[in-house]
Amino acid sequence: MFSLNTQLIHIRGIGPKYLRKLEKLKIETVRDLIFHFPFRYEDFSKITSIMELEPNEQATVQGFVRDIGVRQSWRKRMFITEATVADQSGAVRAIWFNQPFIASILRRGSLVNLAGKIGWDEDEIYFSNPVYEIITDERQGQPRHTARLVPIYPETKGLTSKALRFVIKPILDALELLPDSIPKEVRARTKLPEINDAMQHIHFPPSIEDADAAKRRFAFEELFIVQLINVEEKLKLAQEKAATIQWDIERVKQIIGVLPFELTFAQKRSLWEILKDIKQGKPMNRLLEGDVGSGKTVVAAVAALLVSERGHQAAFMAPTEVLAYQHFKTISDLFKGFDCGIALLTSGQQRLAFSGLEAQSKKANVIKEIDAGRVHIIIGTHALIQEKVKFNKLGLAVIDEQHRFGVSQRARLARDWQKTAKTKYYPHLLSMSATPIPRTLSLALFGDLDISIIDELPKGRQEIITQIVAPADRQNAYDFIRSEVQKGQQVFIICPLIEDSPHLEAKSVTEQYEKLKNSVFPDLRIVMLHGQMKPKEKERIMNEFRSRDHDVLVSTSVIEVGVDVPNATIMMIEGADRFGLAQLYQFRGRVGRGEYQSHCFLFTDSPAVSTHQRLRALLIAKNGFELAQKDLEIRGPGEFLGTKQSGIPDLAMKALKNLDLVKLARTEAVKIIQKDQRFKKYPLLKTRVEELRKRVYQE
Ligand code: ADP
Ligand code: MG
C-alpha cells in the first residue's frame, strides 16, 4: 500500500535516473506524482485488426511478435529496431528509432499491444515509434499505455508520458483510500465524483466523460477552498469594528464644488458607495476599478478629506515613488484651501504640506507628525509599512494600483496598519486598480471585496489613434513625432521590457536614448528615465517633463502607472510584443488626457501573426474590461494575474475561466460556512483552508 506521503525514493522499481527527472518536475512524493494530472488523452481505446489499418490514422492493434531485430544505419549512426507483429488478419511492421533496448523487451512470441500513428511507405503501412505494451496475462489488469484513453502529461526533457504512466499506474493500483475533502453533502448537491474514483479516472479514464467529470471535480475542489477563504474573510471582517466616519451631504457637496472640474456620474456613484461604507462602523473592503484616466484619485482624495475632517487619518499607498510624489502634488494642490496636513513618505523623500504650503522634511520628523496626528493625509510607498510608522488614528487606507502589490501584502496591510494605529479599529480599506478584472476572476479571487466601477471617462477625452508599426514604417512614425513636437506636444517612448533585470533594462534605455538623441532627433530635447536612477533624479526629471522642459521622455516601464502629463500626446512603445495587453493599455492611457488628439504607436519587429493578432486587440477594444477579457483568453489566468503572486494552485487557475464552476464553488462555500463557521464538522476542509491560507497570505 502506498500513502500520499510515501517518498518515491522508497518505492521499488523507480530508478535514480527517473527520480532525478521527476524531481525536476518537483515530484518527490506519491502525492506530487498522482496530482500531476494529464492535460489531454489520446484515444487508443479500440483494438483494430491489422487488416483494417489505414495510413495516417491513430490505432491500436494486438498481436504476437513474429520477428524482432536491431540494425544500424551506418550513415546516420542510428539504431533501428524493427519488428513484425501479426494477428489473425495479417501482419504489420513496427519501427523504432534509437531505442535498441526494445528488442530485448519485446521477444519473439510475446503478445503485445502497439498503439500509435500508421505510416505509409512504398505500398506498405507500418507503425512508426508506436507505444508498446506486453500483454502477458489477461489477469494483469488494465493496460496502461495502449487499448484505452491514454493520458498525456506535461513533460520535462527526457521524461515521457510513457514513463509517467509506467510509474503512476502501479501506484494508483496500490494506493491507500484517499480521504475526500469535499463533504458528502456538497458532492451530492453538485453531483461531483468521489475522490478515489476521480483520481483513477483522471489518469486512466474508461471514457472521456469520466475524465471530464474527474477534472471538474478537482478544479471545483480548488475553487471551493479559495471561496471558503473568501467567505470566511468577509465574515471575519464584518465582525470587526472600524471608525464610524460621520459626514454630511452639504459638506460633501461643498468639497466637490471647489474641485477644478465636475465629477462624472460614475465618479459620484463610486464616491457615494465609499461614503456609505465608511459610515457603518464596520471595515470597508472595497475595490475601485476604472480605466486609466477615469479619475480614481480624486474620488479617493475626497473620501480621505472627509475622513480627515472627522479627526481620522487617511493613508495612500502607491507602488512607485514617482506616483506617490504625483499623488502628493495633486492632493495638496486640490486641497490647498482646506485646513489639512498632508505628508509624503517614501524611502527616498519626505515632505509635508499644510494648506498648500509644502516643504521638504526629515524622515524622523514626518514620522513624528504622523504619530502625533498632526498630518491627516499620508501618502507614500512601501515605506509606509516598512518604516516604523505609527499612525495616530488611521481611519482609511487607500492602495493605489493594487495589482502591483501581492495578494499577501494587500491582505496583511490592513492588519498591519491596524496594529500600528493607536485605535482598536480596523481601517477602512479602499483598493484601486486600472487593470479591469474580468468578472470570473474578481468573483473567484476578490470574492471578499465589494466593487465600485468607474466606467466612463471625464468629458472631452478623445479617442487615442493606435497603430501597429512595422520596422519599415519606423521613419514615418519618427517624422510624425517630430511634426507633433513642433506643434508643442510631448512624447513618451517606452523601451522593451527586460524581465528580471533592471540593470539590463537601464542599459537598453540608455542605448535607445543615445541613438534617438544623436541620430534620430538631434534637434529635440530628449531626456531619459529608468528604475535604477535615484528617486530625487526621477522626480526632477518628471517635474521638468511636466513643465515642458523636455520634448521626449525615453523610459522603462517605470512610468507605467498613474503618471499624468496632459500635454503629452504621443506614446511610442518599442518591443510592444513583450508587454501584456493590460500593460500596453496602461501605457496608452498616459496620453489622451488633454484637449489634443493623441496617438499611440506600437513598434514590433516580430513578424508572428499571433503577435499582431494580440496587439490588434488593443486597437479594437472599447474599454479596459473588454481588453482584460481578451488578455485573459489569450494568456490564461495564470499569466494574466501572475501565478506566483496569487499563490493559487494551477488547477484552480485554469478553472477560473469557468464562471459556472466559480459560482457553484461560491454557493457551496457560503452554505458550509453558514452551517459551521469553524469547520468543526469538516476537519479535512479545515486543514485544506489553513494550508491555502499559509500559501496565499503567508500567514
Ligand atoms: P486614474 O483613474 O487613472 O488614476 P487620475 O485620477 O490620475 O486617473 O485622473 C486622470 C486625470 O483626469 C487627472 O488629470 C485628473 O485631474 C483628471 N480628472 C479626474 N476627474 C475628472 C473629471 N471629472 N473631469 C475632468 N478631469 C478629471
Ligand atoms: Mg491612478
Side-chain angles (χ1 to χ4, degrees):
M1 271 306 202
F2 298 118
S3 84
L4 285 177
N5 294 325
T6 307
Q7 295 284 327
L8 296 179
I9 204 166
H10 296 136
I11 295 180
R12 263 197 314 145
I14 306 183
K17 226 172 84 190
Y18 269 4
L19 281 172
R20 266 198 307 277
K21 286 174 180 170
L22 286 168
E23 231 168 71
K24 271 195 204 143
L25 292 173
K26 297 213 163 47
I27 297 176
E28 288 168 10
T29 62
V30 165
R31 180 199 314 272
D32 300 337
L33 184 65
I34 64 176
F35 278 94
H36 186 69
F37 293 152
F39 67 99
R40 66 184 177 89
Y41 306 87
E42 260 174 29
D43 191 354
F44 291 140
S45 57
K46 207 173 119 245
I47 291 191
T48 310
S49 65
I50 290 175
M51 199 176 64
E52 284 164 6
L53 290 176
E54 293 283 347
N56 298 325
E57 285 188 355
Q58 296 278 352
T60 300
V61 300
Q62 190 167 81
F64 290 95
V65 177
R66 211 156 68 181
D67 250 326
I68 187 157
V70 184
R71 63 186 161 87
Q72 205 170 359
S73 89
W74 59 271
R75 217 155 34 121
K76 290 191 177 166
R77 303 192 176 192
M78 197 156 47
F79 289 106
I80 298 175
T81 310
E82 229 181 283
T84 310
V85 171
D87 66 5
Q88 285 161 348
S89 71
V92 66
R93 220 153 45 93
I95 294 176
W96 292 272
F97 299 100
N98 275 341
Q99 302 177 64
F101 56 88
I102 292 177
S104 55
I105 299 174
L106 301 184
R107 301 285 178 79
R108 188 179 309 170
S110 7
L111 178 63
V112 296
N113 281 0
L114 297 181
K117 198 164 176 184
I118 310 297
W120 171 252
D121 179 30
E122 294 176 17
D123 290 348
E124 195 197 18
I125 55 170
Y126 64 97
F127 274 101
S128 162
N129 282 318
V131 178
Y132 55 88
E133 184 165 18
I134 304 177
I135 311 293
T136 39
D137 181 346
E138 290 297 303
R139 283 164 301 168
Q140 88 175 117
Q142 297 270 325
R144 33 194 145 154
H145 305 304
T146 56
R148 58 168 314 122
L149 286 169
V150 175
I152 309 294
Y153 295 93
E155 292 174 0
T156 180
K157 210 167 158 32
L159 188 68
T160 60
S161 276
K162 174 153 184 155
L164 280 166
R165 290 193 289 269
F166 197 82
V167 287
I168 290 175
K169 182 73 171 133
I171 287 176
L172 282 183
D173 287 345
L175 188 64
E176 64 174 352
L177 207 58
L178 303 177
D180 200 332
S181 1
I182 307 183
K184 231 191 184 125
E185 56 193 277
V186 176
R187 260 184 287 135
R189 279 195 295 262
T190 54
K191 301 200 172 53
L192 290 165
E194 175 277 334
I195 189 167
N196 292 283
D197 287 343
M199 186 54 86
Q200 296 288 341
H201 290 176
I202 203 163
H203 290 285
F204 298 103
S207 73
I208 211 72
E209 289 74 30
D210 292 313
D212 287 344
K215 272 194 178 156
R216 189 172 156 84
R217 182 232 130 84
F218 285 111
F220 174 89
E221 182 171 342
E222 300 301 333
L223 292 173
F224 182 52
I225 307 296
V226 172
Q227 290 299 350
L228 284 169
I229 292 181
N230 280 341
V231 175
E232 208 185 14
E233 281 293 300
K234 193 158 186 163
L235 204 69
K236 258 198 222 157
L237 208 59
Q239 288 156 354
E240 295 287 342
K241 280 206 174 67
T244 307
I245 311 287
Q246 290 294 350
W247 42 267
D248 76 87
I249 192 73
E250 286 315 312
R251 182 62 182 158
V252 178
K253 282 185 186 158
Q254 242 172 19
I255 295 173
I256 292 178
V258 302
L259 296 175
F261 38 70
E262 189 180 2
L263 291 184
T264 61
F265 177 74
Q267 281 174 314
K268 285 183 189 159
R269 184 186 55 213
S270 300
L271 178 60
W272 179 246
E273 286 165 354
I274 293 164
L275 294 184
K276 260 196 331 207
D277 279 0
I278 62 178
K279 217 176 195 173
Q280 299 303 327
K282 300 224 168 292
M284 168 172 75
N285 191 13
R286 187 169 282 281
L287 175 65
L288 178 60
E289 284 186 289
D291 267 10
V292 178
S294 61
K296 296 181 288 292
T297 317
V298 66
V299 171
V302 171
L305 185 63
L306 285 162
V307 166
S308 78
E309 290 190 337
R310 308 311 304 185
H312 295 269
Q313 289 169 315
F316 265 72
M317 190 159 82
T320 64
E321 299 221 3
V322 173
L323 197 54
Y325 177 73
Q326 186 187 291
H327 281 335
F328 173 74
K329 273 292 220 212
T330 309
I331 294 174
S332 47
D333 247 26
L334 274 179
F335 298 149
K336 57 174 174 273
F338 294 84
D339 181 22
C340 170
I342 302 176
L344 173 69
L345 181 77
T346 68
S347 53
Q349 58 170 329
Q350 302 80 39
R351 282 166 190 255
L352 291 171
F354 293 95
S355 307
L357 292 175
E358 64 158 280
Q360 294 207 12
S361 178
K362 288 225 162 53
K363 192 177 284 176
N365 189 37
V366 171
I367 291 177
K368 204 176 79 203
E369 294 290 304
I370 296 171
D371 180 77
R374 278 191 293 268
V375 285
H376 285 100
I377 299 182
I378 298 105
I379 298 154
T381 51
H382 286 85
L384 289 181
I385 344 176
Q386 281 153 3
E387 310 281 346
K388 300 256 166 287
V389 181
K390 269 213 173 330
F391 291 100
N392 186 289
K393 227 178 157 189
L394 186 63
L396 172 69
V398 181
I399 305 176
D400 195 14
E401 309 292 349
Q402 58 104 31
H403 65 284
R404 296 286 296 252
F405 299 94
V407 174
S408 60
Q409 261 177 327
R410 242 180 283 152
R412 245 181 325 184
L413 257 175
R415 256 168 276 173
D416 282 3
W417 275 345
Q418 179 201 21
K419 278 182 221 136
T420 60
K422 292 176 182 165
T423 56
K424 56 186 183 306
Y425 294 142
Y426 243 77
H428 294 289
L429 188 63
L430 179 66
S431 314
M432 304 202 286
S433 175
T435 306
I437 297 155
R439 225 163 81 77
T440 15
L441 287 195
S442 55
L443 189 64
L445 297 180
F446 307 114
D448 56 329
L449 295 177
D450 296 306
I451 295 182
S452 292
I453 293 177
I454 305 185
D455 52 6
E456 63 182 311
L457 292 178
K459 275 193 210 75
R461 292 277 165 81
Q462 294 192 10
E463 207 170 309
I464 300 159
I465 298 175
T466 306
Q467 274 172 286
I468 301 171
V469 183
D473 297 327
R474 189 172 276 270
Q475 192 54 47
N476 287 343
Y478 285 150
D479 292 346
F480 181 79
I481 288 173
R482 175 175 285 103
S483 71
E484 286 292 288
V485 170
Q486 280 160 358
K487 285 190 224 153
Q489 306 308 141
Q490 289 168 286
V491 183
F492 288 114
I493 296 180
I494 307 288
C495 294
L497 181 71
I498 299 173
E499 236 145 343
D500 298 330
S501 178
H503 173 69
L504 284 181
E505 205 162 65
K507 189 164 161 259
S508 122
V509 172
T510 311
E511 283 168 13
Q512 183 75 8
Y513 165 76
E514 296 290 339
K515 192 186 104 197
L516 289 166
K517 192 172 90 161
N518 297 328
S519 44
V520 184
F521 298 129
D523 49 331
L524 305 186
R525 297 170 304 169
I526 299 190
V527 70
M528 73 170 165
L529 187 71
H530 59 73
Q532 298 225 303
M533 290 173 154
K534 294 222 165 61
K536 279 244 159 60
E537 214 177 338
K538 282 192 263 184
E539 180 203 329
R540 175 180 58 78
I541 292 167
M542 280 315 295
N543 278 338
E544 288 170 3
F545 190 63
R546 212 173 283 126
S547 48
R548 304 192 188 188
D549 293 344
H550 310 285
D551 305 313
V552 181
L553 177 72
V554 185
S555 165
T556 51
S557 55
V558 289
I559 73 137
E560 176 197 349
V561 287
V563 175
D564 195 25
V565 183
N567 190 52
T569 56
I570 293 181
M571 171 58 65
M572 187 188 124
I573 302 163
E574 289 279 359
D577 44 284
R578 300 213 197 161
F579 296 99
L581 285 177
Q583 210 178 1
L584 290 172
Y585 189 76
Q586 292 263 348
F587 288 141
R588 185 174 61 178
R590 299 300 117 229
V591 297
R593 296 192 159 207
E595 52 192 302
Y596 302 105
Q597 176 64 57
S598 292
H599 295 262
C600 175
F601 297 114
L602 306 169
F603 280 51
T604 173
D605 296 335
S606 162
V609 176
S610 59
T611 305
H612 284 254
Q613 253 170 7
R614 197 164 71 87
L615 293 179
R616 202 159 290 281
L618 204 66
L619 271 56
I620 47 184
K622 282 191 209 61
N623 55 46
F625 279 91
E626 214 179 281
L627 195 72
Q629 186 64 44
K630 196 96 211 166
D631 208 14
L632 178 67
E633 280 162 23
I634 296 172
R635 294 195 300 162
E639 282 288 303
F640 183 84
L641 290 164
T643 315
K644 272 189 233 129
Q645 168 178 278
S646 71
I648 309 282
D650 281 1
L651 192 65
M653 271 291 179
K654 291 203 190 94
L656 289 178
K657 279 188 182 182
N658 184 340
L659 184 59
D660 286 342
L661 201 60
V662 171
K663 279 189 184 156
L664 189 64
R666 176 76 172 192
T667 315
E668 290 300 328
V670 170
K671 280 185 189 151
I672 292 294
I673 290 197
Q674 273 173 352
K675 201 168 124 185
D676 180 5
Q677 196 190 335
R678 292 183 199 291
F679 304 116
K680 285 206 178 99
K681 285 198 234 66
Y682 308 103
L684 289 172
L685 272 187
K686 190 178 159 118
T687 317
R688 290 292 311 275
V689 165
E690 279 165 4
E691 278 167 10
L692 185 63
R693 263 185 184 288
K694 264 198 205 110
R695 279 179 61 181
V696 174
Y697 296 127
Q698 286 146 29
E699 273 172 353

